[in-house]
Structures are given as C-alpha cells and as structure tokens.
Amino acid sequence: MTTSLGTHDAIILGAGAAGMFCAAMAGQRGRRVLLLDHAEAPGKKILISGGGRCNFTNLGTAPDRYLSANPHFAKSALGRYTAQDFLALVERHGIAWHEKTLGQLFCDGSARQIVEMLLGECAMGQVTITLGASIGSVDHADGRFRVTTSQGVAEAPALVIATGGPAIPKLGATGFAYDLARRFGLKVVEPRPALVPLTLGPDQALFRDLSGVSTPVAASAGKAAFREAALFTHRGLSGPAILQVSSYWRPGESIAIDFLPDQAKGWLREAKRSEPRLGLRGLLNRQLPDRLAVTLAERIALPSELGNCRDALLEQAESQLAAWPFAPNGTEGFAKAEVTVGGISTADLSSQTMAARRVPGLYAIGEAVDVTGWLGGYNFQWAWASGWAAAQAL
C-alpha cells in the first residue's frame, strides 16, 4: 500500500537556499506547502559557503552581475526582493554579520545560523518538510502534480523546481532539475561549471612550479575583467579573479592576466631612468611574490640591467606583463565548481513569477534556472529573489 504524503497547495523540490526560502514565504502567505529533499539534512550548500560563514548576499547586487542567455530576465525578481530586504530578515533573527570587500556580507558566526533562520521561517509558515525522500516519478494530469517518493506520494496544483544544478556532486547535486524540465517541455541552456579553477596544459607547466603563490591581479576573459587575487595551483589557476573569469571563459579561448594592474603606462621606462642599474627581477620582486617575480623575469629575458634595454623592449615587456596570455585546456569540472552556468531556459519562464509559460502550476527558481551570479553572495541573492517571486504567485 502506497503511503500518502497528503494534498498540498504547493510541492517544492529541493531544500536548499531557494527552496527553503520560497517554502517559508509561501507558507507565511497561508499556502499549505510540502518541501521535499533527497538529502538527510537541509541547506548543505549553505553550510559550506563562505568558508562556513555563508556569504549570504552582496550589497552591490545588480542585474549586470549575472550571466544568462537573457541578461534582462533577472531584473524583475532582483528589483522586488533586494539585498537590503534579506539583510533586514537576518537582523530580525539577531544574526551578527560583517561586510568584507566588494559588498560581500558574511555571518560573524556560522552558516548554520542562516539554515536555522530559514527553518524558523518555514516553521512560521507551517511548512511540512520531508527529508531523505528520493523522487521516483513526477506526473501531471487534470491540473495536479503527483510526486512519488521513497516515503510516499504527494499531490498539489503547483510544483516548484528548486533542486539546483550539478555543481558540487559530493553534496548530492545532480542534473535532476534539467531532466524534469525537459520532461515538461522546457528548454535547457547547456549547463557548464562556473566559478571554477582553470587547468593548464603541459606547454604552460612552468607555472605549475608556482603552486601556492597568490597575488592581486586583473584577469580578463573576453570583455569581462575582475581585479582580485589569482592563485597558482598544481593543476593551473584559481583564486577569486580566476573563479570570476571562469564563468565567461569558453574552451579554446585564452584569458589574460595583468600582473601589475596599478602600474601606469611607461613605468618600466621611468624605472630605467631612475634606477638604470636595477634588473627586471629586482623591480618585480618589490611588487610580486619572489617565485613569481623570478619566473616572469626569466620568461621575459631582458638584459640584466634596465639601463641596457631599449625603450621599445621595455614597452614590449610592459605589454606582456599587462596582458599575460594563458590558454586553459579545461576546468576542474562540476566537482570543484561553486555554481552552474546555464540551466532551465528563461525563455520558457515568467520573469515576474518564475512560472513556466506553457505548464500551469510549474515553477523553477534558484540555480536550476539559467541565471548565474558573480562570486561574492550574488547567487544567494538570486536564490532569495527568485524564491520570493515564485512564493508571491503560489
């Protein structure tokens, strides 16, 4: 005999950031909500975010800091539920927070405080939470969704896909959202790893010897450029600047790194005139980690003293240091990616409500959707904003 999980106004699949927040907001609007997840505990990705302190939003949130096939899609939801709105909720729960660089907000204590806050909000909305429930099938007939799980069957006129993308599979992440979307006729923009370290081939193996070296740079891929730290690893490149450009990088393309982004044009010629006996290695050593300074100086191979260098040679060296090309041969994949670029096509969703245009009662929110933010709290803000938008329509 099949166990019944009851009839509800809405079933939300996925107890991550977007799913929990949407459930709480809909529940507090008087909707009878069932929140389902195959994991044994909610908010696993929240708990590891921000080094365990959860970078829960960013004060600089704006639509131009998100990638999507439709760059305008996120405007509505982000405009109606802002970083300040979520911060007000955090403060109502008495959670101490601090701002780091570039508008990033973190808990003073633990990311668990955000999970507890979301669970508390769900309790206020009388949300029914069922964990450890693997989903067998999802059917739709006569205006109702029927979800069969390992713990029983549930029915509702509304279904919200909030199961995220395949990034960080060790936390249970899968492409389930895409399979379900296709099952209901929604298009999926090809998913790929984002906010992910890049790998280098054998031809750039010299830089692998710099594993562990980190320095502030300006990294660019196409028209996107970010000024933050880059980190050399035994496999290639990582660090915030690299994670940021990885979302824009495509296989076969190069990225460029400016190792001295604060230097004005002509700085090497100026150094030649003021300190002609100095060599490039000694000059770079003042501004870069020693191992990196040595490697770059050896690659550029100027004469031993700047005074012996023609100005044209110095200009060439300057240009090389300002746009050092790297040709990644890949990424470290979904296993090391923080999020996913691509997902359920926004062309099939309402930007106002996150509802599927051609399937009444079906919604998709959070990382499952083709909206991906920069590093630094932007993806959490999309989870809150898209979850809120759907909750107002349920």
Side-chain angles (χ1 to χ4, degrees), residues 335-362:
K336 294 295 176 68
E338 294 195 17
V339 291
T340 306
V341 163
I344 298 171
S345 174
T346 57
D348 290 333
L349 302 174
S350 161
S351 63
Q352 293 281 321
T353 64
M354 309 304 296
R357 296 186 183 281
R358 293 189 298 275
V359 186
L362 182 65

Side-chain angles (χ1 to χ4, degrees), residues 282-305:
L283 186 60
L284 292 178
N285 203 226
R286 294 175 180 177
Q287 303 167 75
L288 297 170
D290 182 58
R291 286 159 61 199
L292 178 58
V294 170
T295 299
L296 295 177
E298 286 177 350
R299 280 289 184 97
I300 293 172
L302 291 178
S304 59
E305 295 182 355

Side-chain angles (χ1 to χ4, degrees), residues 98-245:
H98 59 278
E99 180 180 348
K100 284 193 176 179
T101 55
L102 307 172
Q104 301 170 40
L105 302 190
F106 290 77
C107 298
D108 283 0
S110 163
R112 188 164 296 282
Q113 293 174 284
I114 298 296
V115 175
E116 294 299 331
M117 178 189 81
L118 294 171
L119 290 173
E121 290 290 317
C122 283
M124 284 174 58
Q126 298 184 320
V127 174
T128 301
I129 302 176
T130 301
L131 301 171
S134 56
I135 295 170
S137 63
V138 179
D139 301 299
H140 184 229
D142 302 322
R144 300 188 71 75
F145 292 91
R146 179 181 170 92
V147 180
T148 304
T149 79
S150 58
Q151 296 194 23
V153 178
E155 291 191 12
L159 180 74
V160 182
I161 304 172
T163 54
I168 321 185
K170 69 181 180 184
L171 295 183
T174 70
F176 176 81
Y178 313 145
D179 297 336
L180 191 55
R182 292 187 185 102
R183 151 109 171 67
F184 287 108
L186 278 60
K187 298 188 194 72
V188 174
V189 175
E190 180 192 0
R192 53 191 174 86
L195 302 182
V196 63
L198 300 173
T199 57
L200 298 174
D203 55 323
Q204 294 182 307
L206 172 63
F207 285 94
R208 292 186 189 169
D209 296 337
L210 295 173
S211 181
V213 172
S214 177
T215 189
V217 302
S220 58
K223 295 179 180 178
F226 297 90
R227 282 192 61 164
E228 288 191 70
L231 169 70
F232 290 91
T233 72
H234 68 286
R235 296 190 63 189
L237 295 165
S238 188
I242 303 303
L243 298 183
Q244 293 280 36
V245 297

